[in-house]
Amino acid sequence: MNNRHRGTAAAGSVMAVLMLAAGCSGGDSDRAVDSVQPAGAGQAIGKGYDSGAGSGSGAGYGAPGTGANPAAGAGSGYGDEPAAAAKAAPAGQLALRDIPEVGKVVTDSAGATLYRFDKDTPKPPKSNCEGGCAATWPVVSADDAKASAGIDPSMLGSVERADGTKQLTLGGWPVYRYSKEGKAGEAKGEGVGGTWHALAADGKKAIDKKDAEPPKKDVEPPKTGDNGGMGDMNSNEKIELAVAANEKLGKILVDAQGRTLYRFNKDSAWPMKIGCLDACVNTWKPAPPVDKAKAAGIPAGLIGKVKRPDGSEQLTIDCWPVYLFTGDKEPGDTNGQGKQGLWFAVNDAGKKVTTTTG
């Protein structure tokens, strides 16, 4: 009886468990870690995540309450089911809009942000969003779609859906709206389920292009002979991971844009566990992997990556997954430090920062 109860508890675990491949227990995360089925295999990834007290994107995550997607959906990977499906409508005149948290996104004639789904395919174009998914993410009709300045008309196309209707494609990717957005300029759908992303003009993810912008401040340039044991670096190369001197926290790790990297106490390094899923990733964005040759100030052996349950890859530091906080608006911000007593910046030794210098 006791054994059965223990087995039931394990099967009902609310964390997706990613078992670490050989080499990470000693802090050497030199190779990628593959994901495995979450504990309680058989339930959809993202169901039943331990959100702390109550539900919603903020519970247990330290949500800022503002930004691209402060309340975007937990659940199946499609976002929460709406009370009623939003009516599909033609796109009309497409345009580009600069949304600070996301970048330059494509909008329809009403100013609604347009999205793509990672589970679709662009070559050939194919939509994998049907039923309840299409209720939350209404498809955009190809009728009357026109490109404006900054959008190449040749990137526009269409794909025939199962019901015979024509869905707009951009760069081959089927195009959607998010039913939870109510006004122009919102991007609540960005990052929902780790699979939905606002579109850039070429059909790629707008957030990726924003992430590719050069750092603005506080990032230490690489120094020959003093770069964490990674060898000499070409100072003209773009640095993807660096050390910033923060007056309160000391030396902390930042990405190419100077944004602070954080780790989560509900994750673990050995065995590898991912505790930030679903609505959590609306507030805490998994940091993308970096090229070790383009890192400065941190030993190469501490840098690795892990495959998340949705198939995406995430940067790890000393075997801990690291994240970006949507509440940080400028390079050098550390607004996520100490959130919920669970989120902490990471220092140049790969350890979490729990004390201040001043």
Side-chain angles (χ1 to χ4, degrees), residues 320-358:
W320 284 84
V322 291
Y323 303 81
L324 299 164
F325 181 45
T326 58
D328 287 342
K329 303 304 181 184
E330 298 289 339
D333 283 354
T334 56
N335 298 322
Q337 176 66 13
K339 280 286 184 182
Q340 309 295 314
L342 297 171
W343 295 91
F344 298 94
V346 182
N347 66 21
D348 55 344
K351 307 303 180 184
K352 69 179 179 182
V353 178
T354 57
T355 59
T356 59
T357 59

Side-chain angles (χ1 to χ4, degrees), residues 75-90:
S76 65
Y78 306 136
D80 293 333
E81 299 301 319
K87 182 179 178 181

Side-chain angles (χ1 to χ4, degrees), residues 17 51 60 75-76 107 112-113 133 147 184 188 195 198 209 219 238 275 277 283-284 290 292 299 302 340 351:
V17 180
S51 60
S76 65
T107 64
T113 300
C133 172
K188 294 179 180 179
T195 56
K209 292 181 176 291
V219 178
K238 176 183 171 184
L277 301 167
T283 302
W284 300 91
V290 302
K292 293 182 183 183
L302 295 180
Q340 309 295 314
K351 307 303 180 184

Side-chain angles (χ1 to χ4, degrees), residues 32-45:
V33 179
D34 290 331
S35 65
V36 298
Q37 285 286 352
Q43 67 181 31
I45 291 173

Side-chain angles (χ1 to χ4, degrees), residues 246-250 355-358:
N246 183 276
E247 61 180 15
K248 292 184 178 180
L249 303 180
T355 59
T356 59
T357 59

Side-chain angles (χ1 to χ4, degrees), residues 7-157:
T8 301
S13 170
V14 293
M15 284 188 178
V17 180
L18 304 184
M19 298 307 296
L20 190 62
C24 217
S25 60
D28 178 8
S29 49
D30 191 54
R31 59 182 180 179
V33 179
D34 290 331
S35 65
V36 298
Q37 285 286 352
Q43 67 181 31
I45 291 173
K47 293 289 187 182
Y49 171 72
D50 179 10
S51 60
S55 60
S57 66
Y61 311 140
T66 59
N69 42 22
S76 65
Y78 306 136
D80 293 333
E81 299 301 319
K87 182 179 178 181
Q93 185 80 44
L94 302 182
L96 289 176
R97 185 182 188 121
D98 194 352
I99 299 179
E101 300 88 346
V102 183
K104 290 184 178 180
V105 307
V106 179
T107 64
D108 67 9
S109 58
T113 300
L114 301 181
Y115 295 91
R116 49 174 274 181
F117 183 33
D118 284 352
K119 294 182 180 181
D120 289 348
T121 59
K123 296 180 180 179
K126 184 179 187 303
S127 170
N128 288 304
C129 180
E130 302 283 352
C133 172
T136 303
W137 301 90
V139 304
V140 177
S141 171
D143 297 341
D144 197 34
K146 297 180 179 65
S148 61
I151 302 174
D152 185 347
S154 68
M155 300 296 289
L156 303 184

Side-chain angles (χ1 to χ4, degrees), residues 245-297:
N246 183 276
E247 61 180 15
K248 292 184 178 180
L249 303 180
K251 291 186 176 182
I252 58 174
L253 297 185
V254 296
D255 72 352
Q257 293 177 250
R259 298 178 301 179
T260 303
L261 295 172
Y262 300 89
R263 64 185 239 188
F264 184 34
N265 277 4
K266 290 189 178 182
D267 290 347
S268 72
W270 185 255
M272 180 72 79
K273 294 182 180 179
I274 298 290
C276 183
L277 301 167
D278 302 323
C280 177
V281 301
N282 299 333
T283 302
W284 300 91
K285 301 293 186 182
V290 302
D291 182 346
K292 293 182 183 183
K294 296 180 181 180

